[in-house]
Amino acid sequence: MTQITALNKAVEEIRQQVIEWRRYLHQHPELSFQEEKTAQFVYDTLLSFGNLEVTRPAGNSVMARLIGPKPGKVLAMRADMDGLAITEENTFDFISKNPGVMHACGHDGHTSMLLGTAKILSGMKDKIRGEVRFFFQHAEEIYPGGAEEMVQAGVMDGVDLVIGTHLWSTMEYGTVGICPGPMMAAPDTFWITVFGKGGHAALPHQTIDSIAVAAQVVTNLQHIVSRNTDPLDNLVLSVTKFTGGTTHNVIPGSVEICGTVRSFDKNVRETVPKLMERVIKGITEAHGATYEFRYEFGYRPVINDAEVTQLMEDVVVEALGAEWVDRMRPNMGGEDFSAFQQKAPGCFFFVGAGNQAKGIAYPHHHPRFTIDEDALEVGVKMFVHAARKVVMDNA
Ligand code: NI
């Protein structure tokens, strides 16, 4: 039996265990920065495997180190563990037992896949040349995120390459999404308040109509993407909240606006808030209104290293078959996996977890989101075969 076949068999043997972990975690979701019980479960489970140095580096994160007998590269693998403030509407028998909280992004699956990987590899310690480091990260969903805290705590010290994955329900089971270079955008957030002068709706000339001015601000912000930046640069500017007023005959004194900006390029990213302020200032001044503007830079973009990405594509071909490779396009979602990529070359990849035939097609963060559990095995295979290629003696 080749090493590839042996590893695939090892994954298939713990398949049911990985599904059970996922279902347990799915029933017990916790919000970002509150993953105490999840972290304890992961910590205890890792300790039960033996051969691992298990620590709690920062916040609710857990790290396990599998250090082989011979020197070699250090390969880090990351899973995130947090759930979302969503009331689950699924009807299967392992739905969330924590009201108002749900694993609606598949992080339960990520955690169970990495536990499965740690279980298999910890049983092969004598074959490891170098080290495998397992990151169970808290708080991916909420900025400033858990990844940065882990990096600050030094988890990336000595790491040569880092990989991570996301199960993806809008990609069909049977695919692994590979994307060299820019893959996921930098998600930034803005808040604007337009201050006018409130008054009677029948006497608009005695007011400064904050709604009319704010509406123009929103309209003119659209020019930043369509007219002020290079069409070949990827950029999104979405206004997602517009709040003002109380009733039909009162012009409100102020309107609150907020939204998100997504980009890949550093220069584009740094230019956008300046362009926004120019528009906001110009429009409000033109109408005698004033404003407050706050802009927060979020996670860095996920930029995949060419070599590590090629390695992961080779993993797909060798472990699953060439027909599994989906050369996916980048998307404008955000991911704090990028924090690890600041310290070592890395690759983030998607594992197709949707299944139209089984009715598994709801998008991420939807109350009926779920994954095809067959995809869990795919994720474990990706991780163990990456270890085979980077830190194992090829028998
Ligand atoms: Ni997610």
Side-chain angles (χ1 to χ4, degrees):
M1 189 158 50
T2 68
Q3 202 180 18
I4 292 175
T5 319
L7 275 175
N8 279 346
K9 190 159 171 286
V11 176
E12 280 146 28
E13 277 166 7
I14 63 154
R15 171 195 156 84
Q16 203 53 40
Q17 170 88 82
V18 174
I19 290 173
E20 278 164 27
W21 283 327
R22 183 259 164 167
R23 291 186 178 191
Y24 173 81
L25 292 165
H26 193 82
Q27 285 182 300
H28 301 94
E30 293 175 293
L31 293 172
S32 310
F33 295 107
Q34 299 173 32
E35 313 88 339
E36 286 93 2
K37 288 179 184 155
T38 305
Q40 192 62 48
F41 171 79
V42 167
Y43 184 86
D44 293 342
T45 307
L46 288 167
L47 274 187
S48 75
F49 300 154
N51 288 339
L52 298 172
E53 276 182 24
V54 189
T55 54
R56 299 288 309 273
N60 290 323
S61 68
V62 183
M63 177 169 77
R65 299 178 67 180
L66 174 65
I67 301 167
K70 295 178 203 156
K73 286 191 172 162
V74 179
L75 168 64
M77 304 174 174
R78 174 270 206 166
D80 44 9
M81 305 191 289
D82 50 334
L84 288 152
I86 293 173
T87 298
E88 181 156 14
E89 289 176 13
N90 280 314
T91 51
F92 42 67
D93 60 6
F94 56 91
I95 64 164
S96 170
K97 290 182 174 176
N98 190 356
V101 186
M102 176 185 175
H103 269 297
C105 198
H107 300 189
D108 47 348
H110 304 164
T111 302
S112 57
M113 291 190 300
L114 198 58
L115 283 174
T117 306
K119 178 164 184 170
I120 291 171
L121 295 179
S122 61
M124 308 173 68
K125 183 177 175 177
D126 53 339
K127 290 203 172 74
I128 303 293
R129 185 188 281 278
E131 178 185 337
V132 184
R133 217 174 274 183
F134 305 92
F135 297 157
F136 293 86
Q137 183 207 314
H138 59 303
E140 185 279 328
E141 298 283 1
I142 295 182
Y143 184 80
E148 188 63 38
E149 284 183 9
M150 291 184 77
V151 169
Q152 294 298 329
V155 302
M156 286 294 290
D157 292 356
V159 170
D160 292 292
L161 62 166
V162 58
I163 57 173
T165 190
H166 211 301
L167 292 160
W168 211 246
S169 70
T170 51
M171 272 171 54
E172 282 286 284
Y173 167 78
T175 54
V176 176
I178 298 286
C179 181
M183 180 188 181
M184 296 184 78
D188 301 332
T189 312
F190 62 84
W191 296 264
I192 304 162
T193 308
V194 173
F195 297 100
K197 188 176 147 206
H200 200 297
L203 303 164
H205 58 292
Q206 295 176 356
T207 74
I208 295 169
D209 185 347
S210 59
I211 289 197
V213 177
Q216 292 206 38
V217 168
V218 173
T219 305
N220 281 275
L221 286 176
Q222 302 308 315
H223 285 242
I224 291 171
V225 176
S226 71
R227 303 289 86 180
N228 300 150
T229 50
D230 189 330
L232 296 177
D233 283 325
N234 302 296
L235 181 64
V236 173
L237 191 162
S238 293
V239 172
T240 55
K241 188 180 164 196
F242 187 100
T243 317
T246 50
T247 187
H248 65 95
N249 57 0
V250 177
I251 290 173
S254 66
V255 168
E256 288 181 8
I257 298 166
C258 77
T260 185
V261 173
R262 307 291 171 111
S263 62
F264 289 105
D265 181 80
K266 188 168 177 284
N267 290 330
V268 171
R269 191 182 188 196
E270 284 168 1
T271 306
V272 169
K274 293 175 193 142
L275 291 170
M276 287 183 72
E277 182 137 29
R278 192 175 74 183
V279 168
I280 300 161
K281 187 168 186 285
I283 299 283
T284 50
E285 266 179 12
H287 298 285
T290 57
Y291 69 95
E292 265 175 27
F293 175 48
R294 188 158 70 87
Y295 196 97
E296 184 180 83
F297 290 102
Y299 300 148
R300 297 177 190 85
V302 171
I303 312 279
N304 284 334
D305 176 79
E307 265 180 49
V308 184
T309 307
Q310 184 59 53
L311 173 91
M312 295 316 293
E313 183 171 329
D314 294 345
V315 166
V316 184
V317 173
E318 292 169 16
L320 298 157
E323 69 280 12
W324 283 69
V325 176
D326 177 350
R327 292 179 184 281
M328 60 175 283
R329 301 176 71 194
N331 71 73
M332 303 307 279
E335 243 294 345
D336 72 348
F337 180 75
S338 53
F340 302 112
Q341 291 176 305
Q342 301 304 305
K343 297 288 177 186
C347 175
F348 196 65
F349 57 94
F350 279 6
V351 170
N355 195 321
Q356 298 279 347
K358 293 183 188 172
I360 299 168
Y362 287 95
H364 290 252
H365 298 203
H366 187 282
R368 294 191 66 185
F369 169 85
T370 192
I371 53 161
D372 184 345
E373 289 177 325
D374 287 343
L376 297 172
E377 190 179 306
V378 179
V380 182
K381 283 180 179 166
M382 291 296 296
F383 282 133
V384 296
H385 285 283
R388 171 179 60 80
K389 291 178 78 74
V390 179
V391 294
M392 272 187 210
D393 290 328
N394 287 308

Coordinates of all heavy atoms in Angstrom, one line a residue, residues 311-357:
L311 N 1.7 23.7 -4.0 CA 1.7 22.5 -3.1 C 0.3 22.0 -2.8 O 0.1 20.8 -2.9 CB 2.5 22.9 -1.8 CG 2.5 21.8 -0.8 CD1 3.8 21.0 -0.9 CD2 2.5 22.4 0.6
M312 N -0.6 22.9 -2.5 CA -1.9 22.5 -2.1 C -2.7 21.9 -3.3 O -3.5 21.0 -3.2 CB -2.7 23.6 -1.4 CG -2.1 24.0 -0.1 SD -1.6 22.7 1.0 CE -3.2 21.9 1.4
E313 N -2.4 22.5 -4.5 CA -3.0 22.0 -5.7 C -2.5 20.5 -6.0 O -3.3 19.6 -6.4 CB -2.8 22.9 -6.9 CG -3.5 22.4 -8.2 CD -3.4 23.4 -9.3 OE1 -3.4 24.6 -9.1 OE2 -3.4 22.9 -10.5
D314 N -1.2 20.3 -5.8 CA -0.6 19.0 -5.9 C -1.3 18.0 -4.9 O -1.5 16.9 -5.3 CB 0.9 19.0 -5.7 CG 1.6 19.9 -6.8 OD1 1.0 20.1 -7.8 OD2 2.8 20.2 -6.5
V315 N -1.5 18.5 -3.7 CA -2.2 17.7 -2.7 C -3.6 17.2 -3.2 O -3.9 16.0 -3.2 CB -2.4 18.4 -1.4 CG1 -3.3 17.7 -0.5 CG2 -1.0 18.6 -0.7
V316 N -4.3 18.1 -3.8 CA -5.7 17.8 -4.3 C -5.5 16.7 -5.4 O -6.2 15.7 -5.4 CB -6.4 19.0 -5.0 CG1 -7.8 18.6 -5.4 CG2 -6.4 20.2 -4.0
V317 N -4.6 16.9 -6.3 CA -4.4 16.0 -7.5 C -4.0 14.6 -7.0 O -4.6 13.6 -7.4 CB -3.4 16.5 -8.5 CG1 -3.1 15.5 -9.6 CG2 -3.9 17.9 -9.1
E318 N -3.1 14.6 -6.0 CA -2.5 13.3 -5.5 C -3.5 12.6 -4.6 O -3.7 11.3 -4.7 CB -1.2 13.5 -4.8 CG -0.1 14.0 -5.7 CD 1.1 14.4 -4.9 OE1 1.2 14.1 -3.7 OE2 2.0 15.1 -5.5
A319 N -4.2 13.3 -3.8 CA -5.0 12.6 -2.7 C -6.4 12.4 -3.2 O -7.1 11.5 -2.7 CB -5.0 13.5 -1.5
L320 N -6.9 13.3 -4.1 CA -8.3 13.2 -4.5 C -8.5 13.0 -6.0 O -9.4 12.3 -6.4 CB -9.0 14.5 -4.0 CG -9.0 14.8 -2.5 CD1 -9.2 16.3 -2.3 CD2 -10.2 14.0 -1.8
G321 N -7.7 13.6 -6.8 CA -7.8 13.5 -8.2 C -7.9 14.8 -8.9 O -8.4 15.8 -8.3
A322 N -7.3 14.9 -10.1 CA -7.3 16.2 -10.8 C -8.6 16.8 -11.0 O -8.8 18.0 -11.0 CB -6.5 16.0 -12.1
E323 N -9.6 16.0 -11.1 CA -11.0 16.5 -11.4 C -11.6 17.3 -10.2 O -12.6 18.0 -10.3 CB -11.9 15.4 -11.8 CG -12.3 14.4 -10.7 CD -11.2 13.3 -10.5 OE1 -10.1 13.4 -11.0 OE2 -11.5 12.3 -9.8
W324 N -10.9 17.1 -9.0 CA -11.4 17.9 -7.8 C -10.9 19.3 -7.8 O -11.4 20.2 -7.1 CB -10.8 17.2 -6.6 CG -11.6 16.0 -6.2 CD1 -11.6 14.8 -6.9 CD2 -12.5 15.8 -5.1 NE1 -12.4 13.9 -6.2 CE2 -12.9 14.5 -5.1 CE3 -12.9 16.6 -4.0 CZ2 -13.8 14.0 -4.2 CZ3 -13.7 16.1 -3.1 CH2 -14.2 14.8 -3.1
V325 N -9.9 19.7 -8.6 CA -9.4 21.0 -8.6 C -10.4 22.0 -9.2 O -10.8 21.9 -10.3 CB -8.0 21.1 -9.3 CG1 -7.5 22.6 -9.4 CG2 -7.0 20.2 -8.7
D326 N -10.8 23.0 -8.4 CA -11.6 24.1 -8.9 C -10.8 25.4 -8.8 O -10.5 25.9 -7.7 CB -12.9 24.2 -8.0 CG -13.8 25.4 -8.4 OD1 -13.4 26.2 -9.3 OD2 -14.9 25.5 -7.9
R327 N -10.4 25.9 -10.0 CA -9.6 27.1 -10.0 C -10.5 28.3 -9.7 O -10.9 29.0 -10.6 CB -8.8 27.3 -11.3 CG -7.7 26.2 -11.4 CD -7.0 26.4 -12.7 NE -6.1 25.3 -12.9 CZ -4.9 25.3 -12.3 NH1 -4.5 26.3 -11.6 NH2 -4.1 24.2 -12.5
M328 N -10.8 28.5 -8.5 CA -11.9 29.4 -8.1 C -11.4 30.9 -8.3 O -10.2 31.2 -8.3 CB -12.3 29.2 -6.7 CG -11.2 29.4 -5.7 SD -11.8 29.3 -4.0 CE -12.5 30.9 -3.7
R329 N -12.3 31.8 -8.5 CA -12.0 33.2 -8.6 C -11.9 33.7 -7.1 O -12.5 33.2 -6.2 CB -13.1 34.0 -9.3 CG -13.3 33.4 -10.7 CD -14.5 34.2 -11.4 NE -14.1 35.5 -11.7 CZ -15.0 36.5 -12.0 NH1 -16.3 36.2 -12.0 NH2 -14.7 37.7 -12.3
P330 N -11.2 34.8 -7.0 CA -11.2 35.5 -5.6 C -12.6 35.9 -5.3 O -13.4 36.0 -6.1 CB -10.3 36.7 -5.8 CG -9.6 36.5 -7.1 CD -10.4 35.6 -8.0
N331 N -12.8 36.2 -4.0 CA -14.1 36.8 -3.6 C -13.8 37.9 -2.6 O -12.8 38.0 -2.0 CB -15.1 35.7 -3.1 CG -14.7 35.2 -1.7 OD1 -14.8 35.9 -0.7 ND2 -14.1 34.0 -1.7
M332 N -14.9 38.7 -2.4 CA -14.7 40.0 -1.7 C -15.0 39.8 -0.2 O -15.2 40.7 0.6 CB -15.5 41.1 -2.3 CG -15.3 41.4 -3.7 SD -13.5 41.8 -4.1 CE -13.3 43.5 -3.6
G333 N -15.2 38.5 0.2 CA -15.3 38.3 1.7 C -14.0 38.5 2.4 O -13.0 38.7 1.8
G334 N -14.1 38.6 3.7 CA -12.9 38.8 4.5 C -12.5 37.6 5.4 O -13.4 36.8 5.7
E335 N -11.3 37.5 5.8 CA -10.8 36.4 6.6 C -9.6 36.8 7.4 O -8.6 37.3 6.8 CB -10.4 35.2 5.7 CG -11.2 33.9 5.8 CD -11.1 33.2 7.1 OE1 -10.1 33.5 7.9 OE2 -11.9 32.3 7.3
D336 N -9.5 36.5 8.7 CA -8.3 36.9 9.4 C -7.2 35.9 9.3 O -6.2 36.0 10.0 CB -8.6 37.4 10.8 CG -9.0 36.3 11.8 OD1 -9.3 35.2 11.3 OD2 -9.1 36.6 13.0
F337 N -7.4 34.8 8.5 CA -6.3 34.0 8.2 C -5.1 34.8 7.7 O -3.9 34.4 7.9 CB -6.7 32.9 7.1 CG -5.6 32.0 6.8 CD1 -5.3 30.9 7.6 CD2 -4.9 32.1 5.6 CE1 -4.3 30.0 7.3 CE2 -3.9 31.2 5.2 CZ -3.6 30.2 6.0
S338 N -5.4 35.9 7.1 CA -4.4 36.8 6.6 C -3.4 37.2 7.7 O -2.2 37.5 7.3 CB -5.0 38.1 6.0 OG -5.9 38.7 6.9
A339 N -3.8 37.2 8.9 CA -2.8 37.6 10.0 C -1.7 36.6 10.1 O -0.5 37.0 10.3 CB -3.6 37.7 11.3
F340 N -2.0 35.3 9.9 CA -0.9 34.3 9.9 C 0.0 34.5 8.7 O 1.2 34.3 8.7 CB -1.5 32.9 9.9 CG -2.4 32.7 11.1 CD1 -3.8 32.5 10.9 CD2 -1.9 32.6 12.4 CE1 -4.6 32.2 12.0 CE2 -2.7 32.4 13.5 CZ -4.1 32.2 13.3
Q341 N -0.6 34.9 7.6 CA 0.2 35.0 6.3 C 1.1 36.2 6.4 O 2.0 36.3 5.5 CB -0.8 35.2 5.1 CG -1.6 34.0 4.8 CD -2.6 34.2 3.7 OE1 -3.4 35.1 3.8 NE2 -2.5 33.4 2.6
Q342 N 1.0 37.1 7.4 CA 2.0 38.2 7.5 C 3.3 37.6 8.0 O 4.4 38.3 7.9 CB 1.5 39.2 8.5 CG 0.2 39.9 8.2 CD 0.2 40.5 6.8 OE1 1.1 41.3 6.5 NE2 -0.7 40.1 6.0
K343 N 3.3 36.4 8.6 CA 4.5 35.9 9.2 C 5.2 34.8 8.5 O 6.3 34.4 8.7 CB 4.1 35.4 10.6 CG 3.7 36.4 11.6 CD 4.8 37.3 12.0 CE 4.3 38.5 12.9 NZ 5.4 39.4 13.2
A344 N 4.4 34.1 7.6 CA 5.0 33.0 6.8 C 4.2 32.9 5.5 O 3.0 33.2 5.5 CB 5.0 31.7 7.6
P345 N 4.7 32.4 4.4 CA 3.9 32.1 3.2 C 2.8 31.1 3.5 O 3.0 30.2 4.3 CB 4.9 31.5 2.2 CG 6.1 31.2 3.0 CD 6.1 32.0 4.2
G346 N 1.7 31.4 3.0 CA 0.5 30.5 3.3 C -0.4 30.3 2.1 O -0.3 31.0 1.1
C347 N -1.4 29.4 2.4 CA -2.4 29.2 1.4 C -3.7 28.9 2.1 O -3.8 28.0 3.0 CB -2.1 28.0 0.5 SG -3.4 27.6 -0.7
F348 N -4.7 29.6 1.7 CA -6.1 29.4 2.2 C -6.8 28.8 1.0 O -6.7 29.3 -0.1 CB -6.7 30.7 2.6 CG -8.0 30.6 3.5 CD1 -7.9 30.0 4.7 CD2 -9.2 31.0 3.0 CE1 -9.0 29.9 5.5 CE2 -10.3 30.9 3.8 CZ -10.2 30.4 5.1
F349 N -7.6 27.7 1.3 CA -8.3 27.1 0.2 C -9.7 26.8 0.6 O -10.0 26.7 1.8 CB -7.6 25.8 -0.3 CG -7.3 24.8 0.8 CD1 -8.2 23.8 1.0 CD2 -6.2 24.9 1.6 CE1 -8.0 22.8 2.0 CE2 -6.0 24.0 2.6 CZ -6.9 22.9 2.8
F350 N -10.6 26.5 -0.3 CA -12.0 26.2 0.0 C -12.3 24.7 -0.3 O -11.7 24.2 -1.2 CB -13.0 27.0 -0.9 CG -13.2 28.5 -0.4 CD1 -12.5 29.0 0.6 CD2 -14.1 29.3 -1.1 CE1 -12.8 30.3 1.1 CE2 -14.4 30.6 -0.7 CZ -13.7 31.1 0.4
V351 N -13.1 24.1 0.6 CA -13.6 22.8 0.3 C -15.1 22.8 0.0 O -15.8 23.3 0.8 CB -13.3 21.9 1.5 CG1 -14.0 20.5 1.4 CG2 -11.8 21.7 1.7
G352 N -15.4 22.4 -1.2 CA -16.8 22.4 -1.6 C -17.7 21.6 -0.6 O -17.4 20.4 -0.4
A353 N -18.7 22.2 -0.1 CA -19.5 21.5 1.0 C -21.0 21.7 0.7 O -21.8 21.3 1.5 CB -19.2 22.1 2.3
G354 N -21.4 22.2 -0.5 CA -22.8 22.2 -0.9 C -23.2 20.9 -1.6 O -22.3 20.2 -2.0
N355 N -24.5 20.7 -1.6 CA -24.9 19.5 -2.3 C -26.4 19.8 -2.7 O -27.3 19.5 -1.9 CB -24.8 18.2 -1.5 CG -24.9 17.0 -2.3 OD1 -25.7 16.9 -3.2 ND2 -24.1 16.0 -2.0
Q356 N -26.6 20.2 -3.9 CA -27.9 20.6 -4.4 C -28.9 19.4 -4.3 O -30.0 19.6 -3.9 CB -27.8 21.0 -5.9 CG -27.0 22.3 -6.1 CD -27.7 23.6 -5.8 OE1 -28.9 23.6 -5.7 NE2 -27.0 24.7 -5.8
A357 N -28.4 18.2 -4.6 CA -29.2 17.0 -4.6 C -29.7 16.7 -3.2 O -30.8 16.2 -3.0 CB -28.5 15.8 -5.2

